Amino acid sequence: MLQSTMMDQPLTLDLLLQRAATVFRDVDVTTRLPDKSLHHTNYGEVARRAGRLARALVAAGIQPGDRVATLMWNHYAHLECYFGIPAAGAVLHTLNLRLQPADIAYIAHHAEDRFLIVDDVLLPLLAQFRDEVNFERVIVFRFGGAAHEDEDYEAFLDSAGDAVALPAIGEDWACGMCYTSGTTGRPKGVLYGQKSSVLHAMGACLPDAVNLSSRDIIVPVVPMFHAMAWGMPYAAAMVGARQVMPGPHLDAVSLLDLYEQTGTTVTAGVPTIWMGILQELEKRERAWRLTPGMRMIVGGSATPVSMVKAYERFDLQVIAAWGMTETSPLGSLAQLRPEVAARGEDARHWYRAQAGVSVPLVDVRIVNDQGEVAWDGESTGELQCRGPWVTGSYYLRPDAADAFTPDGWFRTGDVASITPEGTIHIADRTKDLIKSGGEWISSVELENEIMAHPAVAEAAVIAVAHPKWMERPLACVVKKPGVELGADELREHLLGSFEKWCLPNDFVFIDEIPRTSTGKFMKLKLREQFADWQWSELSA
């Protein structure tokens, strides 16, 4: 076999940091602090401080593979941790601060975290579970300026000199760790690798993906504790995009103000965020001066077509993406191809709201009980994927082996179809499909159409037991403030898009829809709440 003459250069995160520290050393990294003032630094300074953090960790006894946890908002010090902890050969474990304290304790214990770096503003949260974990050292970053009795982050950075040697990192070493949201059973740990994270960053920057470059100003609204902020911190550093961290201020007005102040060109978050921003824009209480064509990456759950249309009116571009903690998380993205855009406005809107085409190096297929199905846009089954940044197992969870097929594909649990040109349409989660009288009904498609009604803020559709049809759809609807809306009006609205037998039998109006820590609808709680629902006479 004739061998390549190419150099064997390990793909490690320090390559991205070195590039940012030299080519883009003066590019600004902005953080909105708790008092809403802006803190400015740059990639050169982030790299210098990340190196100090790495040497301090090694001097403190951290060994390759040890887990160092963070409990932090999005800000410049967390970005230092993103690079500094892996540079020490350790594994950055981002703890989800939106979980219940008992769940955070379980995850930290299961991961065997040795050190914790925590924001001072989150010390009250830490106090609720600190006795249940065994962190060897707790290092506090003075984000809000509060006094504390633990080790100070700045002092820790000063605790080791430049003479401390850092390990030679291998590209197959684990560098990051996130746990799934745990909507079914206990959360499961996913270990990201040095090489997989570099490849993921490169994939995210491709023109038909997020299309990041040095000309961009990016605000990752997605928390840095959620699937590594979708890889945005690494991708932005690689290409020298200016990073703007929103801190804890994630309400619509604060985000719009930040977009306006900084000239944001790219932002990323879950649909909940964009629904709130859209409602604020539609109030038209002030004219927000946003960058025309600002790209808004939407992930975490299905994107309603109505949202795509609504944002176009404000010259803002919604780009749907699909992925999971297990896929690092970018799996596919809905950038329009020329042949699709040429099919007209309705087709353009529909494709914009889909999961899109898988990014290069990620293979996808659809499998049902009869085997792999054709890419015809109609045949459905479970979406399965594989690739260099898709996990092949869970950390210390042999009981979860059934999430992978015998031939090595990851079973996503999403029910989907794929069009002939490769666009993925997610119909539902397998556990959220509604089987009524032997026929399947997609809760996601019903939800998206209900949310297209101008009086609806949010909607979740669940399956509830029915004496005749086994299960029927129940729509749980949140109305926009100050509007009148009834079940008959919603039923009439849906009739133009669905067969009558697919429509929800009943509509219940609620104040809010329960959510997971990552902003997804928590349908399990709704199913529990309405398990004893008494169907109306109309639906009998």
Side-chain angles (χ1 to χ4, degrees):
M1 179 64 70
L2 186 63
Q3 297 293 315
S4 162
T5 62
M6 296 298 103
M7 294 182 181
D8 185 16
Q9 171 68 59
L11 298 180
T12 55
L13 291 173
D14 61 312
L15 297 177
L16 308 189
L17 186 61
Q18 289 166 13
R19 176 174 167 80
T22 52
V23 180
F24 307 116
R25 61 183 178 275
D26 295 325
V27 172
D28 194 75
V29 175
T30 304
T31 298
R32 177 169 266 175
L33 301 175
D35 65 2
K36 289 204 169 183
S37 64
L38 296 181
H39 173 279
H40 295 276
T41 183
N42 55 51
Y43 279 128
E45 184 66 5
V46 167
R48 186 182 70 83
R49 287 168 58 87
R52 291 170 59 198
L53 173 60
R55 288 187 289 274
L57 290 169
V58 171
I62 288 294
Q63 299 293 315
D66 285 346
R67 272 70 72 201
V68 176
T70 60
L71 190 64
M72 308 171 86
W73 287 106
N74 290 22
H75 50 65
Y76 68 94
H78 209 170
L79 184 62
E80 294 164 7
C81 293
Y82 260 57
F83 285 103
I85 293 171
V91 180
L92 165 68
H93 179 202
T94 55
L95 294 172
N96 187 338
L97 59 87
R98 291 188 177 135
L99 293 176
Q100 292 296 314
D103 291 329
I104 302 175
Y106 165 81
I107 289 170
H109 178 75
H110 187 266
E112 301 176 285
D113 295 333
R114 287 189 60 191
F115 290 10
L116 172 70
I117 304 176
V118 56
D119 288 343
D120 56 2
V121 295
L122 295 174
L123 286 173
L125 172 60
L126 174 61
Q128 295 181 58
F129 66 88
R130 190 165 185 170
D131 291 342
E132 301 175 44
V133 291
N134 187 30
F135 296 124
E136 295 174 31
R137 295 174 78 161
V138 173
I139 302 156
V140 179
F141 171 63
R142 291 175 65 86
F143 187 34
H148 62 86
E149 297 181 356
D150 287 293
E151 195 167 357
D152 185 75
Y153 180 77
E154 297 299 331
F156 185 72
L157 294 190
D158 291 335
S159 63
D162 293 340
V164 176
L166 297 178
I169 307 297
E171 67 175 17
D172 58 343
W173 288 19
C175 66
M177 189 177 203
C178 288
Y179 276 69
T180 62
S181 56
T183 53
T184 56
R186 282 291 198 178
K188 298 182 287 289
V190 175
L191 282 169
Y192 305 124
Q194 294 271 350
K195 179 174 74 172
S196 75
S197 297
V198 171
L199 291 174
H200 182 271
M202 295 180 71
C205 291
L206 291 172
D208 283 332
V210 181
N211 191 20
L212 275 184
S213 77
S214 60
R215 291 167 290 283
D216 281 312
I217 300 168
I218 181 169
V219 176
V221 181
V222 56
M224 294 176 77
F225 54 75
H226 179 211
M228 304 298 283
W230 299 356
M232 295 295 104
Y234 293 141
M238 183 177 72
V239 298
R242 178 185 172 190
Q243 297 194 49
V244 180
M245 311 291 192
H249 306 291
L250 304 181
D251 61 282
V253 172
S254 293
L255 288 172
L256 284 166
D257 179 66
L258 192 62
Y259 296 152
E260 185 178 72
Q261 281 191 61
T262 60
T264 301
T265 62
V266 182
T267 183
V270 297
T272 309
I273 294 291
W274 310 134
M275 288 174 184
I277 288 178
L278 182 59
Q279 289 178 35
E280 192 62 38
L281 289 173
E282 289 176 335
K283 290 179 182 177
R284 298 187 183 272
E285 293 180 351
R286 59 163 289 186
W288 296 99
R289 296 183 299 277
L290 306 180
T291 303
M294 181 175 74
R295 308 193 297 281
M296 308 171 71
I297 312 301
V298 184
S301 57
T303 303
V305 174
S306 58
M307 181 190 293
V308 176
K309 293 180 180 178
Y311 271 113
E312 274 194 2
R313 297 198 299 269
F314 297 98
D315 197 14
L316 301 174
Q317 184 182 173
V318 169
I319 302 174
W322 170 86
M324 308 173 72
T325 303
E326 293 89 342
T327 62
S328 296
L330 187 60
S332 64
L333 200 130
Q335 291 279 20
L336 283 189
R337 289 159 57 172
E339 63 270 29
V340 171
R343 294 174 190 170
E345 187 176 70
D346 288 345
R348 188 180 76 244
H349 291 151
W350 186 85
Y351 276 89
R352 278 265 187 232
Q354 304 313 306
V357 177
S358 61
V359 293
L361 304 185
V362 175
D363 296 328
V364 294
R365 69 182 185 184
I366 303 294
V367 178
N368 62 20
D369 292 341
Q370 286 72 50
E372 189 170 350
V373 304
W375 290 17
D376 56 15
E378 297 180 0
S379 302
T380 61
E382 182 183 51
L383 177 63
Q384 299 179 357
C385 64
R386 66 181 180 185
W389 57 77
V390 179
T391 193
S393 63
Y394 291 107
Y395 176 68
L396 297 181
R397 287 294 297 271
D399 59 308
D402 60 353
F404 307 90
T405 67
D407 57 344
W409 292 69
F410 171 62
R411 302 181 59 186
T412 69
D414 284 325
V415 178
S417 61
I418 303 179
T419 66
E421 65 275 329
T423 295
I424 302 167
H425 167 65
I426 306 290
D428 218 329
R429 295 288 292 167
T430 53
K431 64 180 182 294
D432 292 330
L433 281 170
I434 301 164
K435 192 165 190 179
S436 180
E439 300 290 342
W440 291 106
I441 300 172
S442 168
S443 65
V444 168
E445 291 177 355
L446 283 171
E447 289 162 2
N448 286 345
E449 192 60 31
I450 293 170
M451 285 189 283
H453 192 286
V456 173
E458 294 177 340
V461 176
I462 59 172
V464 176
H466 191 279
K468 181 177 180 181
W469 302 110
M470 292 178 56
E471 293 180 339
R472 289 297 297 159
L474 174 68
C476 305
V477 179
V478 179
K479 294 184 289 188
K480 289 182 179 177
V483 301
E484 295 294 328
L485 182 64
D488 290 342
E489 185 177 344
L490 283 175
R491 197 172 283 111
E492 188 67 26
H493 168 74
L494 292 174
L495 272 175
S497 304
F498 295 91
E499 296 292 337
K500 190 173 182 180
W501 65 268
C502 292
L503 302 189
N505 284 40
D506 281 346
F507 295 80
V508 57
F509 295 95
I510 58 179
D511 293 333
E512 62 179 2
I513 295 172
R515 285 184 164 74
T516 68
S517 61
T518 54
K520 299 176 185 177
F521 290 162
M522 193 178 290
K523 293 187 179 181
L524 177 60
K525 284 196 175 296
L526 288 175
R527 286 193 288 265
E528 292 172 350
Q529 181 179 349
F530 296 107
D532 298 325
W533 179 260
Q534 298 299 306
W535 294 106
S536 66
E537 187 174 334
L538 177 66
S539 66

